[in-house]
Amino acid sequence: QVQVVESGGGSVQAGGSHRLSCVASGNSGSIHTMGWYRQAPGKQRESVALITRDLVTNYAPSVMGRFSISRDNTKNTIYLQMNSLTFEDTGIYSCFVHGPYGTTTGRGQGTQVTVVF
């Protein structure tokens, strides 16, 4: 099993920047792709950004060019740098960890990001 802890949520002004962090610990064989998902009020959860062990990244079209995901494999930590935030970026951001076959091996409790005037 993998333990996942997120940090960095909070309120940020529209147009501003913010960074989230996620640390995974436990069985390293179960820590492969890591990523951020978010759930906005009244909407389904969506994948925001993913990053593999080889640092290959994937972004949702809605955040492409504004968000950047990075990873430190020595610390099993990922970061989500969010720039040019809009009200539509408000939501609960959760960190997920996937194992070698794509199954979810760990999930954080989520951290709230609220974009304000």
Side-chain angles (χ1 to χ4, degrees), residues 37-47 92:
Y37 292 72
R38 72 182 176 192
Q39 185 158 20
K43 295 185 178 180
Q44 289 188 332
R45 188 178 67 209
E46 63 173 341
S47 173
I92 298 174

Side-chain angles (χ1 to χ4, degrees), residues 102-114:
T103 57
T104 299
T105 53
R107 173 184 177 179
Q109 291 189 328
T111 186
Q112 177 72 42
V113 174
T114 303

Side-chain angles (χ1 to χ4, degrees), residues 61-109:
S62 60
V63 306
M64 188 80 71
R66 299 188 300 121
F67 288 15
S68 178
I69 189 169
S70 59
R71 178 169 181 161
D72 184 341
N73 282 326
T74 65
K75 301 177 181 178
N76 285 329
T77 299
I78 63 170
Y79 306 93
L80 184 68
Q81 177 66 41
M82 305 181 290
N83 300 324
S84 302
L85 284 159
T86 72
F87 301 119
E88 287 69 36
D89 294 317
T90 292
I92 298 174
Y93 285 70
S94 300
C95 179
F96 279 70
V97 178
H98 301 290
Y101 305 108
T103 57
T104 299
T105 53
R107 173 184 177 179
Q109 291 189 328

